[in-house]
Amino acid sequence: MARSIFLGSLWLVFVLYAFLGAPPNQPETLELITALSSGQWDGINPLVIALFNIMGIFPVMYGALLFLDGRGQRLPAWVFAMGSFFLGAFALLPYLALRRDNPTFTGQKNGWLRWQDSRLLGLFCLVALVGLLAYGLSAGDWGDFGTRFRGDRFIHVMSLDFCLLAILFPTLIQDDLARRGLGDQNWLLWAISFTPPLGAALYLALRPPTLEHENPVTSSQTPSTAEVSRS
């Protein structure tokens, strides 16, 4: 309950700040988004390019946990996972606040879940993340980025969104560890928590497969005494 209240409050504060407290929109914002989305990056600060593209990698990383976690949730995890491609933490925080603990994966993985569970997907995220961080940090103009952060709502909110997604990833890790038979490896949770976001990507690239369990037998499925005697 405390976790849900904290994450729900964080979502509300982030929404209010993004619309009421962040710097104003700039006239060239739509043009910048169009250029970033279409790959027309000439003249754009590499830090902005890297940040924008990392915000497309984060939803893939979260999806590698959400689609498996969603098997045992009342909430349709895929809705929040897809929404995060467009809204980032605005879409993910409600799921994180409302989800229930889910340390066991029941049933069998289909092809989509096997892909989300694969180390290959994690390796893709790790390579892409390292490449984008190296490009942005080595070639970026920090002075220009600082000016944009202070005066451009798009850059400002996207930067805060990046920070939130990087530090909130461990909220899903403990159950993911348990679903893989690593529930007693608490040091992994701490290691990932203190090395965002590379620790999370490295975990996805190295984690063992999720353990599959048969659907639990419910009381309605348990044969009655009369049925046993007749058999």
Side-chain angles (χ1 to χ4, degrees):
M1 180 60 70
R3 180 188 65 189
S4 296
I5 293 174
F6 171 75
L7 292 173
S9 300
L10 181 61
W11 175 79
L12 181 60
V13 169
F14 189 35
V15 170
L16 291 176
Y17 178 77
F19 287 98
L20 302 177
N25 285 317
Q26 297 300 317
E28 68 274 10
T29 294
L30 182 58
E31 181 181 347
L32 174 62
I33 295 174
T34 301
L36 288 168
S37 302
S38 60
Q40 300 174 7
W41 298 341
D42 290 343
I44 300 178
N45 188 339
L47 276 170
V48 176
I49 297 172
L51 178 61
F52 182 82
N53 283 279
I54 288 174
M55 295 305 293
I57 297 298
F58 274 160
V60 179
M61 294 172 59
Y62 271 89
L65 302 181
L66 284 179
F67 286 107
L68 292 156
D69 183 71
R71 173 65 68 88
Q73 303 291 341
R74 291 189 295 259
L75 300 171
W78 67 269
V79 173
F80 299 90
M82 294 297 100
S84 66
F85 278 97
F86 306 98
L87 299 173
F90 292 105
L92 284 174
L93 271 168
Y95 178 85
L96 298 179
L98 297 173
R99 65 176 291 274
R100 300 176 299 178
D101 292 338
N102 183 27
T104 304
F105 180 86
T106 56
Q108 294 183 336
K109 291 175 283 187
N110 56 25
W112 174 251
L113 291 181
R114 284 195 294 271
W115 168 241
Q116 296 300 317
D117 199 38
S118 69
R119 290 176 175 174
L120 183 60
L121 178 62
L123 182 61
F124 162 77
C125 293
L126 178 62
V127 171
L129 189 60
V130 170
L132 288 168
L133 286 173
Y135 168 65
L137 294 174
S138 63
D141 184 339
W142 284 98
D144 171 74
F145 185 83
T147 300
R148 287 178 174 272
F149 178 82
R150 292 187 295 271
D152 188 326
R153 175 173 295 180
F154 172 64
I155 302 298
H156 188 89
V157 173
M158 183 168 60
S159 300
L160 298 181
D161 201 0
F162 167 88
C163 294
L164 279 178
L165 291 177
I167 64 177
L168 288 174
F169 198 85
T171 61
L172 293 166
I173 289 294
Q174 189 166 16
D175 281 350
D176 195 70
L177 287 169
R179 289 192 292 267
R180 299 168 195 280
L182 300 174
D184 58 340
Q185 303 297 316
N186 289 329
W187 68 271
L188 282 172
L189 176 61
W190 289 106
I192 294 166
S193 300
F194 284 102
T195 56
L198 291 175
L202 185 61
Y203 168 73
L204 294 179
L206 298 177
R207 62 182 180 169
T210 298
L211 302 176
E212 296 175 331
H213 297 274
E214 294 297 329
N215 289 317
V217 177
T218 63
S219 57
S220 62
Q221 296 172 313
T222 304
S224 65
T225 304
E227 291 173 331
V228 172
S229 62
R230 283 198 300 267
S231 63

